Amino acid sequence: MQQFRRLTPLALALGLMLGSPTLLAAEAVEVPAVEAVNGKAPLPLEELRTFAEVMDRIKAAYVEPVDDKTLLENAIKGMLGNLDPHSAYLEPEAFAELQESTSGEFGGLGIEVGTEDGFIKVVSPIDDTPASKAGIQPGDLIVKIDGQPTKGLSLMEAVDKMRGKAGSKINLTLVREGGKPFDVELTRAVIKVKSVRSQLLEDGYGLIRISQFQVNTGEEVGKALAKLRKDNGKKLRGLVLDLRNNPGGVLQAAVEVADHFLKKGLIVYTEGRIANSELRFNADPADASEGVPLVVLINGGSASASEIVAGALQDHKRGVLMGTDSFGKGSVQTVLPLNNDRALKLTTALYFTPNGRSIQAQGIVPDIEVARAKLTREDGGELIKEADLAGHLGNGNGGADKPSGSKQQKAPRPQDDDYQLSQALNLLKGLNVTRGE
């Protein structure tokens, strides 16, 4: 296999970009089924005759007139829609929206969806969007859109219904974990996704949250690492990389993010039927993270590019994975532009972690399983301490007294209300204690 480090900007925007295949036209003549010169299988003439006959019957007998263009486009959609949940025929508007989403700005609800048993399933809501603010969660089934059942709708049809003018209302009927259906009203918005956020959780310990892998995400993570070091004033003692509810995105961005934490070795490789789909990505010697102890948070909403990063760091034992099993999307989609502002989004390869694992339909299992939980703190009042007693002795080393109530109220921190994040921080602290740091 060839070795690849970086892709062109155009390839970054569209994932793995391949040349558009040539469309060949042939006259409909009676010819025997023979092997093609290049070794390809003969055309299935009987099935083509059936297709032509079905098309003629529909045009002649359907209750309303249907033009050839509509029938042929529906046939193309059917071909792609029945391959797998991620392959699709993109009409001009959908193609433009896909390009916009990789650049970080698009219209809609801010929700990544897939299909399951004929229903539309939420993969993950995107941070700070109408979907996340409304409390929509990974795994929710969307059973109705504005009162219309989604059963039987293709993924693209459902997405089209959920898109609309910013400021317009939409009502989704959801089913969560087999419970009763409930309605959620949302207001569509222009979604501007900031893919990377970072902050110090407390002295020495940082957090980098990646909500989606866009073209510039790798560069943003590099800047975030530098800013955390600067804000901390010295090398970090620990870092949490939060990939929860991250639906994925651009493959190259995932490679660049993993490369920030690795100094050598394979990051990911892909295998498919065509030569251009077989790629290998290796880490370069630079380590932007300076080897800082790392905990990676994942959950059922961590998919695709998120799983590439998590799998690479887990295989290289570079960090501890914590949370719950990831989504399990181990395939790569190639966008093949056509000559009429349309495109095919086609699954062309499977990706594998450095140790050769395919996570397709299985997901990545965290090293330490920590489920979501709500943190509640008891408020029983602080007990009397020695320093509260009249006539108590002073500290033998000259230290100041610490009576009850002397602790200053801390400003709210992300880990105070996020159980998984608080456990990740505790693990980092424990690693430093055992290392004597």
Side-chain angles (χ1 to χ4, degrees), residues 35 40 113 145 147 153 207 247 249-250 265 318 324 329 363 381 406 420:
E35 292 288 332
K40 289 183 179 179
V113 293
I145 300 173
L153 286 181
L207 167 68
V250 180
R318 174 60 185 86
T324 55
K329 179 181 178 291
S406 61
Q420 291 173 318

Side-chain angles (χ1 to χ4, degrees), residues 317-386:
K317 300 188 185 304
R318 174 60 185 86
V320 178
L321 266 60
M322 180 180 284
T324 55
D325 291 4
S326 64
F327 182 75
K329 179 181 178 291
S331 60
V332 178
Q333 282 65 49
T334 300
V335 179
L336 301 166
L338 304 176
N339 58 6
N340 53 359
D341 294 327
R342 290 163 167 77
L344 300 182
K345 182 160 71 89
L346 193 65
T347 299
T348 55
L350 293 176
Y351 73 75
F352 297 84
T353 72
N355 288 349
R357 291 186 294 161
S358 169
I359 57 86
Q360 174 61 25
Q362 292 185 352
I364 289 178
V365 179
D367 301 306
I368 301 175
E369 183 172 347
V370 178
R372 283 183 64 206
K374 189 173 182 179
L375 280 170
T376 56
R377 302 185 185 279
E378 293 184 358
D379 186 17
E382 197 168 358
L383 298 175
I384 293 175
K385 296 184 174 182
E386 171 73 13

Side-chain angles (χ1 to χ4, degrees), residues 24-322:
L24 300 178
E27 293 181 1
V29 294
E30 193 75 24
V31 293
V34 294
E35 292 288 332
V37 177
N38 59 6
K40 289 183 179 179
L43 288 172
L45 296 181
E46 191 62 37
E47 285 75 13
L48 289 173
R49 290 191 188 97
T50 302
F51 176 83
E53 182 180 357
V54 169
M55 188 169 169
D56 285 339
R57 294 287 180 91
I58 293 173
K59 289 173 63 179
Y62 187 63
V63 65
E64 294 178 349
V66 187
D67 59 77
D68 290 343
K69 180 176 180 292
T70 300
L71 288 174
L72 289 171
E73 290 215 334
N74 286 340
I76 294 170
K77 291 175 185 176
M79 276 195 289
L80 274 295
N82 284 296
L83 292 176
D84 67 85
H86 308 293
S87 295
Y89 174 61
L90 305 178
E91 295 183 273
E93 186 178 350
F95 185 26
E97 288 167 352
L98 176 65
Q99 292 170 294
E100 289 171 2
S101 69
T102 60
S103 67
E105 181 173 332
F106 54 96
L109 302 176
I111 186 172
E112 183 81 9
V113 293
T115 56
E116 182 177 282
D117 298 329
F119 287 107
I120 307 302
K121 183 178 181 179
V122 176
V123 175
S124 70
I126 300 171
D127 290 352
D128 300 324
T129 63
S132 65
K133 291 174 183 176
I136 292 177
Q137 297 179 10
D140 287 350
L141 293 179
I142 303 174
V143 295
K144 290 182 181 179
I145 300 173
D146 283 333
Q148 299 298 313
T150 59
K151 183 75 172 178
L153 286 181
S154 71
L155 191 60
M156 293 306 298
E157 288 171 336
V159 169
D160 286 342
K161 287 180 177 293
M162 288 187 282
R163 291 187 185 275
K165 187 177 179 181
S168 60
K169 303 280 187 183
I170 183 172
N171 190 279
L172 301 182
T173 304
L174 307 175
V175 171
R176 180 171 298 162
E177 297 177 349
K180 293 182 179 180
F182 61 96
D183 292 338
V184 176
E185 185 179 72
L186 302 98
T187 302
R188 296 182 179 93
V190 175
I191 309 299
K192 295 183 179 181
V193 179
K194 181 175 173 59
S195 68
V196 178
R197 299 177 187 273
S198 63
Q199 69 181 97
L200 286 174
L201 297 173
E202 54 184 66
D203 184 38
Y205 297 93
L207 167 68
I208 292 180
R209 160 77 183 151
I210 306 177
S211 59
Q212 187 181 12
F213 286 88
Q214 301 168 1
V215 174
N216 59 351
T217 298
E219 180 183 354
E220 288 184 15
V221 168
K223 291 178 180 178
L225 285 167
K227 186 176 186 301
L228 286 172
R229 281 195 301 271
K230 181 179 178 182
D231 292 346
N232 192 52
K234 55 185 175 181
K235 182 179 176 180
L236 293 171
R237 302 179 67 197
L239 180 71
V240 179
L241 179 63
D242 188 356
L243 300 178
R244 292 173 298 176
N245 297 335
N246 182 323
V250 180
L251 171 65
Q252 180 68 22
V255 171
E256 291 175 1
V257 169
D259 197 4
H260 283 311
F261 299 95
L262 298 171
K263 292 192 287 188
K264 63 179 180 179
L266 187 63
I267 293 174
V268 66
Y269 66 94
T270 64
E271 290 184 354
R273 293 175 56 218
I274 54 179
N276 302 49
S277 66
E278 297 197 356
L279 304 172
R280 295 177 70 89
F281 297 90
N282 291 281
D284 61 44
D287 181 10
S289 68
E290 299 181 326
V292 61
L294 182 67
V295 172
V296 183
L297 287 175
I298 61 171
N299 66 2
S302 305
S304 191
S306 300
E307 294 170 298
I308 288 175
V309 174
L313 297 178
Q314 187 179 51
D315 281 4
H316 285 287
K317 300 188 185 304
R318 174 60 185 86
V320 178
L321 266 60
M322 180 180 284

